[in-house]
Amino acid sequence: MKILLVAINAKYIHSNLAVYCLKTYAEKNMPQDVNVQIELAEYTINQNRDEILKDIYRRQAEMICFSCYIWNLDYVESMIRDVKKVMKDVIIWAGGPEVSYDSRETLGRLPELTGVMKGEGEKTFAKLCKVYGKRSETSELSLEQIDGITFRCPDGTICERPWRVPMDLSEVPFVYHDMKKFENKIIYYETSRGCPFSCSYCLSSIDKRLRFRSLDLVFNELQFFLDYKVPQVKFVDRTFNCKHDHAMAIWKYIQEHDNGITNFHFEVAADLLNDEEIRLIRQMRPGLIQLEIGVQSTNTDTIREIRRTMRLEEVREHVARIKEKGNIHQHLDLIAGLPYEDIKSFRKSFDDVYSMRPDQLQLGFLKVLKGSYMQEMQQEYELRYKEEPPYEVLSTKWLPYSDVIELKGIEEMVEIYYNSGQFTHVVEALVKNYASAYQMYQDLWQYYEEHDYMGIQHRRSARYEIVLDFVKEKYPEQADV
């Protein structure tokens, strides 16, 4: 049997680590009496749908498995319906976080689907290969015996099996061998699964079993990336530094074996960083690592309500100590739309984080993910969000839609005038006129609104002209400066 694993990514530079893990694990654990050929197909949501449908059809797989996320679910569901129309006998399965937590509803919504793989998929997919690729009809394994799936029975009823017990992460084979497949793409890599925290907006909090990959394996795999001089390796560990010994061992290894080219990206909790870790980070080559730090909010009521632990003063201190050395790119995140965060509170959160002068400040908006505690609390929070993925917040008990509109404007101004890195000196000079950085970006947004500049793809030179005109109108005595 020929099985096709389909990933539809958000951008060309992305790759889908999940489908590579499924294929590699299944092939490594395939019994001799199972006749299965597994292929991968990666596309992007920006590609022409007809071209993708044509390519899938030409591959003539007997079973197709789609990887589903918030950025591609609409696209994938449309593709599933079309594929079934032109390949009426094909078996179609779906998997991924966007279908795992409402698998029954997904099967009800998509009669073309045979089943859904729930949660961690390596062992589940390997079992499915054994069912569909068995050479002998006397094989005892059937769908009714596979954990981690919801499927459509022959009589049309929907059968749901228990969730699979999380696996040992060291059992997952290394997926990168032929690096030509990944030229000009970001390399994703994981050394842990699960998360020690229980943030109510995040699906990682559902997986309570925090697991780490063997460091011996990790070192060999890191060396592979270094030997191939991969431009960037992005760790997908949810909180990389949640285990001190694990984080230190990896950071020491990449420092000691630095090839002068490869950059490693980590998501960390800044308040968990200790003196030993910070000292090591400050010694690293500029560009060796970069840190993404999720602050999300500085409102203590909000932090408590979303079940998050964060000590703001320690975040501030640790970010400052790392920034002082000037060798590490730091990316700090905020989330708008969290409980107890009204516009006044968010302005303070923004100013608190802005004062840390990160290299990038990401102003994101709450996504109400299926299966999350945030979804359970939507009535109590009067949480309204978009019906379609990525289920972005529209309003809450504390934040009306009119304020969301304002925050969208602030987000765009920050992207243009701060995160682009093209207005560093202008912004530093301009913000001195304000007690609040948020107010400066609000004034810029209102200036854009008043002159109908929003929604236009301005040239870079035009952005400079606009901000100069803003200064001439707002602070004419400073135009020369």
Side-chain angles (χ1 to χ4, degrees), residues 39-98:
E39 285 189 11
L40 293 178
E42 286 194 278
Y43 311 100
T44 81
I45 57 175
N46 301 310
Q47 284 182 255
N48 182 282
R49 291 173 187 254
D50 287 340
E51 289 300 314
I52 295 178
L53 180 62
K54 182 169 63 178
D55 187 66
I56 291 174
Y57 177 81
R58 283 177 172 171
R59 290 171 182 263
Q60 285 299 296
E62 296 160 87
M63 175 174 166
I64 303 175
C65 305
F66 287 88
S67 184
C68 303
Y69 297 88
I70 56 173
W71 64 79
N72 72 4
L73 185 64
D74 286 346
Y75 201 117
V76 167
E77 290 194 356
S78 173
M79 193 58 59
I80 287 172
R81 294 186 180 99
D82 289 343
V83 165
K84 194 66 174 178
K85 289 174 184 175
V86 297
M87 302 173 70
K88 63 184 181 65
D89 296 325
V90 74
I91 299 164
I92 303 179
W93 282 74
E98 201 47 38

Short mmCIF file of all heavy atoms in Angstrom, two decimals, residues 39-98:
data_model
loop_
_atom_site.label_atom_id
_atom_site.label_comp_id
_atom_site.label_asym_id
_atom_site.label_seq_id
_atom_site.Cartn_x
_atom_site.Cartn_y
_atom_site.Cartn_z
N GLU A 39 5.28 8.08 1.43
CA GLU A 39 5.82 9.26 0.77
C GLU A 39 5.39 10.51 1.52
O GLU A 39 4.35 10.53 2.19
CB GLU A 39 5.31 9.36 -0.68
CG GLU A 39 5.97 8.40 -1.64
CD GLU A 39 5.58 8.69 -3.09
OE1 GLU A 39 4.97 9.76 -3.34
OE2 GLU A 39 5.90 7.85 -3.95
N LEU A 40 6.20 11.57 1.38
CA LEU A 40 5.88 12.87 1.96
C LEU A 40 5.57 13.87 0.84
O LEU A 40 6.19 13.82 -0.23
CB LEU A 40 7.05 13.41 2.77
CG LEU A 40 7.44 12.67 4.05
CD1 LEU A 40 8.65 13.34 4.68
CD2 LEU A 40 6.28 12.65 5.03
N ALA A 41 4.65 14.78 1.11
CA ALA A 41 4.36 15.87 0.17
C ALA A 41 4.15 17.14 0.99
O ALA A 41 3.24 17.20 1.82
CB ALA A 41 3.12 15.55 -0.66
N GLU A 42 5.02 18.12 0.78
CA GLU A 42 4.90 19.41 1.48
C GLU A 42 4.52 20.50 0.48
O GLU A 42 5.11 20.62 -0.59
CB GLU A 42 6.21 19.77 2.17
CG GLU A 42 6.50 18.96 3.42
CD GLU A 42 7.61 19.55 4.26
OE1 GLU A 42 8.78 19.31 3.93
OE2 GLU A 42 7.32 20.26 5.23
N TYR A 43 3.52 21.30 0.87
CA TYR A 43 3.07 22.42 0.07
C TYR A 43 2.96 23.64 0.99
O TYR A 43 3.32 23.58 2.16
CB TYR A 43 1.70 22.11 -0.55
CG TYR A 43 1.60 20.76 -1.23
CD1 TYR A 43 1.01 19.66 -0.60
CD2 TYR A 43 2.10 20.57 -2.52
CE1 TYR A 43 0.91 18.42 -1.21
CE2 TYR A 43 2.00 19.33 -3.15
CZ TYR A 43 1.41 18.26 -2.49
OH TYR A 43 1.33 17.05 -3.11
N THR A 44 2.45 24.75 0.46
CA THR A 44 2.16 25.91 1.30
C THR A 44 0.75 26.41 1.00
O THR A 44 0.20 26.15 -0.07
CB THR A 44 3.15 27.07 1.07
OG1 THR A 44 2.77 27.81 -0.10
CG2 THR A 44 4.58 26.57 0.93
N ILE A 45 0.20 27.16 1.96
CA ILE A 45 -1.15 27.69 1.79
C ILE A 45 -1.20 28.78 0.70
O ILE A 45 -2.28 29.22 0.31
CB ILE A 45 -1.70 28.27 3.11
CG1 ILE A 45 -0.78 29.35 3.67
CG2 ILE A 45 -1.92 27.17 4.13
CD1 ILE A 45 -1.32 30.04 4.91
N ASN A 46 -0.03 29.22 0.24
CA ASN A 46 0.03 30.24 -0.80
C ASN A 46 0.03 29.64 -2.21
O ASN A 46 -0.04 30.37 -3.19
CB ASN A 46 1.28 31.11 -0.62
CG ASN A 46 1.30 31.79 0.74
OD1 ASN A 46 0.32 32.40 1.13
ND2 ASN A 46 2.39 31.66 1.46
N GLN A 47 0.12 28.31 -2.30
CA GLN A 47 0.12 27.67 -3.60
C GLN A 47 -1.29 27.57 -4.17
O GLN A 47 -2.28 27.56 -3.42
CB GLN A 47 0.73 26.26 -3.50
CG GLN A 47 2.24 26.25 -3.39
CD GLN A 47 2.78 24.84 -3.34
OE1 GLN A 47 3.18 24.36 -2.28
NE2 GLN A 47 2.82 24.16 -4.48
N ASN A 48 -1.35 27.46 -5.48
CA ASN A 48 -2.62 27.28 -6.16
C ASN A 48 -3.23 25.93 -5.75
O ASN A 48 -2.58 24.90 -5.83
CB ASN A 48 -2.39 27.34 -7.67
CG ASN A 48 -3.66 27.20 -8.47
OD1 ASN A 48 -4.17 26.10 -8.63
ND2 ASN A 48 -4.16 28.31 -8.97
N ARG A 49 -4.49 25.95 -5.36
CA ARG A 49 -5.15 24.72 -4.88
C ARG A 49 -5.21 23.66 -5.98
O ARG A 49 -5.06 22.46 -5.71
CB ARG A 49 -6.56 25.04 -4.38
CG ARG A 49 -6.58 25.86 -3.11
CD ARG A 49 -8.01 26.28 -2.77
NE ARG A 49 -8.02 27.20 -1.64
CZ ARG A 49 -8.41 26.88 -0.41
NH1 ARG A 49 -8.80 25.65 -0.15
NH2 ARG A 49 -8.40 27.77 0.57
N ASP A 50 -5.45 24.09 -7.20
CA ASP A 50 -5.53 23.12 -8.30
C ASP A 50 -4.20 22.41 -8.51
O ASP A 50 -4.17 21.21 -8.82
CB ASP A 50 -5.95 23.83 -9.59
CG ASP A 50 -7.41 24.22 -9.58
OD1 ASP A 50 -8.17 23.64 -8.78
OD2 ASP A 50 -7.79 25.10 -10.36
N GLU A 51 -3.10 23.15 -8.32
CA GLU A 51 -1.78 22.54 -8.50
C GLU A 51 -1.52 21.49 -7.42
O GLU A 51 -0.95 20.42 -7.69
CB GLU A 51 -0.69 23.62 -8.47
CG GLU A 51 -0.68 24.53 -9.68
CD GLU A 51 -0.44 23.76 -10.97
OE1 GLU A 51 0.48 22.91 -11.01
OE2 GLU A 51 -1.18 24.01 -11.95
N ILE A 52 -1.94 21.78 -6.19
CA ILE A 52 -1.76 20.81 -5.11
C ILE A 52 -2.63 19.58 -5.34
O ILE A 52 -2.18 18.44 -5.21
CB ILE A 52 -2.09 21.45 -3.74
CG1 ILE A 52 -1.09 22.57 -3.42
CG2 ILE A 52 -2.08 20.40 -2.63
CD1 ILE A 52 -1.36 23.29 -2.12
N LEU A 53 -3.90 19.81 -5.70
CA LEU A 53 -4.80 18.70 -5.97
C LEU A 53 -4.25 17.82 -7.09
O LEU A 53 -4.26 16.58 -7.00
CB LEU A 53 -6.18 19.23 -6.34
CG LEU A 53 -7.25 18.18 -6.66
CD1 LEU A 53 -7.52 17.29 -5.45
CD2 LEU A 53 -8.54 18.87 -7.12
N LYS A 54 -3.74 18.44 -8.14
CA LYS A 54 -3.18 17.70 -9.27
C LYS A 54 -1.98 16.86 -8.83
O LYS A 54 -1.86 15.69 -9.23
CB LYS A 54 -2.79 18.67 -10.37
CG LYS A 54 -2.23 18.03 -11.62
CD LYS A 54 -2.12 19.04 -12.77
CE LYS A 54 -1.14 20.16 -12.44
NZ LYS A 54 -0.99 21.11 -13.57
N ASP A 55 -1.12 17.44 -8.00
CA ASP A 55 0.07 16.71 -7.55
C ASP A 55 -0.31 15.53 -6.67
O ASP A 55 0.24 14.43 -6.81
CB ASP A 55 1.01 17.66 -6.80
CG ASP A 55 2.34 17.00 -6.47
OD1 ASP A 55 3.09 16.69 -7.40
OD2 ASP A 55 2.60 16.76 -5.27
N ILE A 56 -1.27 15.74 -5.76
CA ILE A 56 -1.72 14.64 -4.90
C ILE A 56 -2.33 13.52 -5.75
O ILE A 56 -2.06 12.33 -5.54
CB ILE A 56 -2.73 15.15 -3.85
CG1 ILE A 56 -2.04 16.05 -2.83
CG2 ILE A 56 -3.42 13.98 -3.15
CD1 ILE A 56 -2.99 16.72 -1.84
N TYR A 57 -3.14 13.89 -6.72
CA TYR A 57 -3.78 12.89 -7.59
C TYR A 57 -2.75 12.07 -8.36
O TYR A 57 -2.85 10.84 -8.44
CB TYR A 57 -4.73 13.61 -8.56
CG TYR A 57 -5.39 12.68 -9.56
CD1 TYR A 57 -6.51 11.93 -9.20
CD2 TYR A 57 -4.88 12.55 -10.85
CE1 TYR A 57 -7.11 11.07 -10.11
CE2 TYR A 57 -5.47 11.69 -11.76
CZ TYR A 57 -6.59 10.95 -11.38
OH TYR A 57 -7.18 10.10 -12.28
N ARG A 58 -1.75 12.73 -8.89
CA ARG A 58 -0.75 12.04 -9.71
C ARG A 58 0.08 11.05 -8.90
O ARG A 58 0.63 10.11 -9.45
CB ARG A 58 0.16 13.08 -10.37
CG ARG A 58 -0.49 13.77 -11.56
CD ARG A 58 0.41 14.83 -12.14
NE ARG A 58 -0.14 15.36 -13.39
CZ ARG A 58 0.35 16.43 -14.02
NH1 ARG A 58 1.39 17.09 -13.51
NH2 ARG A 58 -0.19 16.85 -15.14
N ARG A 59 0.17 11.27 -7.58
CA ARG A 59 0.94 10.36 -6.75
C ARG A 59 0.22 9.03 -6.53
O ARG A 59 0.82 8.05 -6.11
CB ARG A 59 1.27 11.02 -5.41
CG ARG A 59 2.28 12.16 -5.53
CD ARG A 59 2.38 12.92 -4.21
NE ARG A 59 3.29 14.05 -4.28
CZ ARG A 59 4.56 14.02 -3.88
NH1 ARG A 59 5.06 12.90 -3.39
NH2 ARG A 59 5.31 15.10 -3.95
N GLN A 60 -1.09 9.01 -6.75
CA GLN A 60 -1.90 7.79 -6.71
C GLN A 60 -1.67 6.97 -5.43
O GLN A 60 -1.42 5.76 -5.48
CB GLN A 60 -1.64 6.94 -7.96
CG GLN A 60 -2.29 7.49 -9.22
CD GLN A 60 -3.81 7.58 -9.11
OE1 GLN A 60 -4.49 6.56 -8.98
NE2 GLN A 60 -4.35 8.79 -9.15
N ALA A 61 -1.77 7.63 -4.31
CA ALA A 61 -1.68 6.92 -3.03
C ALA A 61 -3.01 6.25 -2.72
O ALA A 61 -4.08 6.73 -3.14
CB ALA A 61 -1.31 7.89 -1.91
N GLU A 62 -2.95 5.15 -2.00
CA GLU A 62 -4.17 4.47 -1.58
C GLU A 62 -4.69 5.01 -0.25
O GLU A 62 -5.85 4.82 0.10
CB GLU A 62 -3.91 2.97 -1.46
CG GLU A 62 -3.55 2.32 -2.80
CD GLU A 62 -2.82 1.02 -2.61
OE1 GLU A 62 -3.51 -0.02 -2.49
OE2 GLU A 62 -1.57 1.02 -2.57
N MET A 63 -3.80 5.67 0.49
CA MET A 63 -4.18 6.27 1.77
C MET A 63 -3.44 7.61 1.89
O MET A 63 -2.25 7.70 1.59
CB MET A 63 -3.80 5.35 2.93
CG MET A 63 -4.04 5.92 4.32
SD MET A 63 -3.71 4.64 5.57
CE MET A 63 -3.63 5.62 7.06
N ILE A 64 -4.18 8.66 2.29
CA ILE A 64 -3.60 9.99 2.42
C ILE A 64 -3.86 10.50 3.84
O ILE A 64 -4.99 10.41 4.34
CB ILE A 64 -4.20 10.98 1.40
CG1 ILE A 64 -3.99 10.44 -0.02
CG2 ILE A 64 -3.56 12.35 1.54
CD1 ILE A 64 -4.66 11.29 -1.09
N CYS A 65 -2.82 11.01 4.49
CA CYS A 65 -2.93 11.55 5.85
C CYS A 65 -2.56 13.03 5.82
O CYS A 65 -1.47 13.39 5.37
CB CYS A 65 -2.01 10.80 6.80
SG CYS A 65 -2.26 9.02 6.83
N PHE A 66 -3.48 13.87 6.31
CA PHE A 66 -3.27 15.32 6.31
C PHE A 66 -2.91 15.81 7.72
O PHE A 66 -3.54 15.42 8.71
CB PHE A 66 -4.53 16.04 5.84
CG PHE A 66 -4.80 15.93 4.37
CD1 PHE A 66 -5.53 14.86 3.86
CD2 PHE A 66 -4.32 16.88 3.48
CE1 PHE A 66 -5.79 14.74 2.50
CE2 PHE A 66 -4.58 16.77 2.12
CZ PHE A 66 -5.32 15.70 1.63
N SER A 67 -1.91 16.70 7.78
CA SER A 67 -1.47 17.31 9.04
C SER A 67 -2.20 18.64 9.22
O SER A 67 -2.12 19.52 8.36
CB SER A 67 0.05 17.54 8.98
OG SER A 67 0.55 18.02 10.20
N CYS A 68 -2.92 18.80 10.36
CA CYS A 68 -3.85 19.92 10.53
C CYS A 68 -3.44 20.86 11.66
O CYS A 68 -3.24 20.43 12.80
CB CYS A 68 -5.26 19.39 10.81
SG CYS A 68 -5.88 18.27 9.54
N TYR A 69 -3.35 22.15 11.34
CA TYR A 69 -3.00 23.20 12.30
C TYR A 69 -3.95 24.38 12.11
O TYR A 69 -4.70 24.44 11.13
CB TYR A 69 -1.55 23.64 12.10
CG TYR A 69 -0.54 22.54 12.34
CD1 TYR A 69 -0.17 21.68 11.32
CD2 TYR A 69 0.03 22.35 13.60
CE1 TYR A 69 0.76 20.67 11.54
CE2 TYR A 69 0.95 21.34 13.83
CZ TYR A 69 1.31 20.51 12.80
OH TYR A 69 2.21 19.50 13.03
N ILE A 70 -3.85 25.36 13.02
CA ILE A 70 -4.77 26.50 12.92
C ILE A 70 -4.55 27.30 11.64
O ILE A 70 -5.47 27.92 11.14
CB ILE A 70 -4.69 27.43 14.15
CG1 ILE A 70 -3.26 27.93 14.38
CG2 ILE A 70 -5.23 26.76 15.39
CD1 ILE A 70 -3.15 28.97 15.48
N TRP A 71 -3.32 27.30 11.12
CA TRP A 71 -3.05 28.12 9.94
C TRP A 71 -3.48 27.45 8.64
O TRP A 71 -3.49 28.09 7.59
CB TRP A 71 -1.57 28.50 9.86
CG TRP A 71 -0.66 27.32 9.68
CD1 TRP A 71 -0.40 26.64 8.52
CD2 TRP A 71 0.09 26.66 10.69
NE1 TRP A 71 0.47 25.61 8.75
CE2 TRP A 71 0.79 25.60 10.09
CE3 TRP A 71 0.25 26.87 12.06
CZ2 TRP A 71 1.62 24.74 10.80
CZ3 TRP A 71 1.08 26.01 12.78
CH2 TRP A 71 1.76 24.97 12.13
N ASN A 72 -3.79 26.15 8.68
CA ASN A 72 -4.11 25.49 7.41
C ASN A 72 -5.41 24.69 7.42
O ASN A 72 -5.73 24.04 6.42
CB ASN A 72 -2.96 24.57 6.99
CG ASN A 72 -2.84 23.30 7.84
OD1 ASN A 72 -3.65 23.03 8.72
ND2 ASN A 72 -1.81 22.51 7.57
N LEU A 73 -6.18 24.72 8.52
CA LEU A 73 -7.33 23.82 8.63
C LEU A 73 -8.36 24.04 7.53
O LEU A 73 -8.84 23.08 6.91
CB LEU A 73 -8.00 23.96 10.00
CG LEU A 73 -9.14 22.96 10.24
CD1 LEU A 73 -8.62 21.53 10.23
CD2 LEU A 73 -9.88 23.25 11.53
N ASP A 74 -8.72 25.30 7.25
CA ASP A 74 -9.70 25.57 6.19
C ASP A 74 -9.20 25.04 4.85
O ASP A 74 -9.95 24.41 4.09
CB ASP A 74 -9.95 27.08 6.08
CG ASP A 74 -10.80 27.59 7.23
OD1 ASP A 74 -11.39 26.76 7.94
OD2 ASP A 74 -10.86 28.82 7.42
N TYR A 75 -7.95 25.28 4.59
CA TYR A 75 -7.33 24.84 3.34
C TYR A 75 -7.35 23.32 3.25
O TYR A 75 -7.72 22.74 2.22
CB TYR A 75 -5.89 25.37 3.30
CG TYR A 75 -5.26 25.45 1.93
CD1 TYR A 75 -4.88 26.67 1.40
CD2 TYR A 75 -5.03 24.30 1.18
CE1 TYR A 75 -4.28 26.75 0.15
CE2 TYR A 75 -4.43 24.37 -0.07
CZ TYR A 75 -4.06 25.60 -0.58
OH TYR A 75 -3.47 25.67 -1.82
N VAL A 76 -6.97 22.65 4.34
CA VAL A 76 -6.91 21.19 4.36
C VAL A 76 -8.30 20.58 4.20
O VAL A 76 -8.48 19.62 3.44
CB VAL A 76 -6.25 20.69 5.67
CG1 VAL A 76 -6.46 19.18 5.84
CG2 VAL A 76 -4.76 21.02 5.67
N GLU A 77 -9.28 21.12 4.91
CA GLU A 77 -10.63 20.56 4.80
C GLU A 77 -11.16 20.67 3.37
O GLU A 77 -11.80 19.74 2.85
CB GLU A 77 -11.57 21.26 5.78
CG GLU A 77 -11.28 20.90 7.23
CD GLU A 77 -12.40 21.31 8.18
OE1 GLU A 77 -13.37 21.93 7.73
OE2 GLU A 77 -12.29 20.99 9.38
N SER A 78 -10.91 21.80 2.73
CA SER A 78 -11.31 21.97 1.33
C SER A 78 -10.60 20.94 0.45
O SER A 78 -11.20 20.34 -0.46
CB SER A 78 -10.99 23.39 0.87
OG SER A 78 -11.21 23.54 -0.51
N MET A 79 -9.30 20.73 0.73
CA MET A 79 -8.52 19.78 -0.06
C MET A 79 -9.03 18.35 0.14
O MET A 79 -9.10 17.56 -0.81
CB MET A 79 -7.05 19.89 0.33
CG MET A 79 -6.09 19.20 -0.61
SD MET A 79 -6.19 19.82 -2.32
CE MET A 79 -5.82 21.56 -2.08
N ILE A 80 -9.39 18.01 1.38
CA ILE A 80 -9.91 16.66 1.67
C ILE A 80 -11.17 16.40 0.85
O ILE A 80 -11.33 15.33 0.25
CB ILE A 80 -10.19 16.50 3.17
CG1 ILE A 80 -8.87 16.39 3.95
CG2 ILE A 80 -11.07 15.28 3.45
CD1 ILE A 80 -9.03 16.43 5.46
N ARG A 81 -12.08 17.39 0.80
CA ARG A 81 -13.33 17.22 0.06
C ARG A 81 -13.05 17.02 -1.44
O ARG A 81 -13.65 16.18 -2.10
CB ARG A 81 -14.23 18.43 0.27
CG ARG A 81 -14.73 18.57 1.71
CD ARG A 81 -15.74 19.69 1.85
NE ARG A 81 -16.20 19.83 3.22
CZ ARG A 81 -15.74 20.74 4.08
NH1 ARG A 81 -14.80 21.59 3.68
NH2 ARG A 81 -16.20 20.81 5.31
N ASP A 82 -12.10 17.82 -1.97
CA ASP A 82 -11.80 17.73 -3.40
C ASP A 82 -11.07 16.43 -3.74
O ASP A 82 -11.34 15.82 -4.79
CB ASP A 82 -10.96 18.93 -3.84
CG ASP A 82 -11.78 20.22 -3.85
OD1 ASP A 82 -13.02 20.13 -3.84
OD2 ASP A 82 -11.17 21.31 -3.86
N VAL A 83 -10.15 16.03 -2.87
CA VAL A 83 -9.40 14.79 -3.12
C VAL A 83 -10.36 13.61 -3.21
O VAL A 83 -10.25 12.75 -4.10
CB VAL A 83 -8.34 14.55 -2.02
CG1 VAL A 83 -7.83 13.11 -2.05
CG2 VAL A 83 -7.18 15.51 -2.19
N LYS A 84 -11.32 13.56 -2.32
CA LYS A 84 -12.26 12.43 -2.31
C LYS A 84 -13.13 12.41 -3.56
O LYS A 84 -13.54 11.34 -4.03
CB LYS A 84 -13.14 12.51 -1.05
CG LYS A 84 -13.92 11.24 -0.76
CD LYS A 84 -13.01 10.06 -0.39
CE LYS A 84 -13.80 8.85 0.03
NZ LYS A 84 -12.94 7.70 0.34
N LYS A 85 -13.37 13.58 -4.14
CA LYS A 85 -14.19 13.63 -5.36
C LYS A 85 -13.45 13.04 -6.55
O LYS A 85 -14.08 12.44 -7.45
CB LYS A 85 -14.57 15.09 -5.67
CG LYS A 85 -15.58 15.67 -4.70
CD LYS A 85 -15.80 17.15 -4.95
CE LYS A 85 -16.74 17.75 -3.91
NZ LYS A 85 -16.87 19.21 -4.07
N VAL A 86 -12.13 13.20 -6.58
CA VAL A 86 -11.37 12.71 -7.74
C VAL A 86 -10.68 11.38 -7.46
O VAL A 86 -10.16 10.74 -8.37
CB VAL A 86 -10.33 13.75 -8.20
CG1 VAL A 86 -11.03 15.01 -8.67
CG2 VAL A 86 -9.31 14.07 -7.12
N MET A 87 -10.67 10.96 -6.18
CA MET A 87 -10.08 9.66 -5.79
C MET A 87 -11.07 8.98 -4.84
O MET A 87 -10.84 8.92 -3.63
CB MET A 87 -8.72 9.87 -5.12
CG MET A 87 -7.71 10.62 -5.98
SD MET A 87 -6.17 11.03 -5.09
CE MET A 87 -5.44 9.41 -4.89
N LYS A 88 -12.18 8.50 -5.38
CA LYS A 88 -13.30 8.07 -4.52
C LYS A 88 -12.95 6.88 -3.63
O LYS A 88 -13.58 6.68 -2.59
CB LYS A 88 -14.53 7.76 -5.37
CG LYS A 88 -14.38 6.62 -6.36
CD LYS A 88 -15.64 6.47 -7.20
CE LYS A 88 -15.53 5.32 -8.19
NZ LYS A 88 -15.42 4.01 -7.51
N ASP A 89 -11.97 6.09 -4.00
CA ASP A 89 -11.63 4.91 -3.19
C ASP A 89 -10.51 5.15 -2.20
O ASP A 89 -10.14 4.25 -1.44
CB ASP A 89 -11.23 3.75 -4.13
CG ASP A 89 -12.39 3.31 -5.01
OD1 ASP A 89 -13.54 3.34 -4.51
OD2 ASP A 89 -12.13 2.93 -6.17
N VAL A 90 -9.93 6.36 -2.18
CA VAL A 90 -8.79 6.62 -1.30
C VAL A 90 -9.24 6.67 0.16
O VAL A 90 -10.36 7.09 0.48
CB VAL A 90 -8.10 7.95 -1.69
CG1 VAL A 90 -8.91 9.15 -1.26
CG2 VAL A 90 -6.69 8.02 -1.10
N ILE A 91 -8.39 6.18 1.04
CA ILE A 91 -8.61 6.25 2.49
C ILE A 91 -7.97 7.53 3.00
O ILE A 91 -6.79 7.80 2.71
CB ILE A 91 -7.98 5.03 3.20
CG1 ILE A 91 -8.60 3.73 2.68
CG2 ILE A 91 -8.12 5.14 4.71
CD1 ILE A 91 -7.79 2.50 3.03
N ILE A 92 -8.71 8.35 3.74
CA ILE A 92 -8.18 9.63 4.20
C ILE A 92 -8.22 9.71 5.72
O ILE A 92 -9.26 9.47 6.35
CB ILE A 92 -8.97 10.82 3.61
CG1 ILE A 92 -8.97 10.76 2.07
CG2 ILE A 92 -8.36 12.15 4.07
CD1 ILE A 92 -9.74 11.89 1.41
N TRP A 93 -7.06 10.05 6.32
CA TRP A 93 -6.94 10.29 7.76
C TRP A 93 -6.42 11.70 7.98
O TRP A 93 -5.78 12.29 7.10
CB TRP A 93 -5.98 9.28 8.39
CG TRP A 93 -6.60 7.94 8.61
CD1 TRP A 93 -6.88 6.99 7.67
CD2 TRP A 93 -7.02 7.39 9.87
NE1 TRP A 93 -7.46 5.89 8.24
CE2 TRP A 93 -7.55 6.10 9.60
CE3 TRP A 93 -6.99 7.84 11.19
CZ2 TRP A 93 -8.05 5.28 10.60
CZ3 TRP A 93 -7.49 7.03 12.19
CH2 TRP A 93 -8.02 5.76 11.90
N ALA A 94 -6.71 12.23 9.16
CA ALA A 94 -6.20 13.54 9.55
C ALA A 94 -5.55 13.42 10.92
O ALA A 94 -5.87 12.52 11.70
CB ALA A 94 -7.32 14.58 9.58
N GLY A 95 -4.63 14.34 11.21
CA GLY A 95 -3.99 14.36 12.51
C GLY A 95 -3.50 15.76 12.82
O GLY A 95 -3.58 16.66 11.98
N GLY A 96 -3.00 15.96 14.03
CA GLY A 96 -2.50 17.27 14.42
C GLY A 96 -3.38 17.91 15.47
O GLY A 96 -4.51 17.48 15.74
N PRO A 97 -2.89 18.99 16.09
CA PRO A 97 -3.61 19.63 17.20
C PRO A 97 -4.97 20.18 16.84
O PRO A 97 -5.86 20.27 17.68
CB PRO A 97 -2.66 20.75 17.64
CG PRO A 97 -1.76 20.98 16.47
CD PRO A 97 -1.61 19.66 15.80
N GLU A 98 -5.17 20.52 15.56
CA GLU A 98 -6.42 21.17 15.19
C GLU A 98 -7.58 20.20 15.01
O GLU A 98 -8.73 20.61 14.87
CB GLU A 98 -6.20 22.01 13.93
CG GLU A 98 -7.22 23.10 13.69
CD GLU A 98 -7.52 23.96 14.91
OE1 GLU A 98 -6.59 24.26 15.68
OE2 GLU A 98 -8.69 24.30 15.09
#
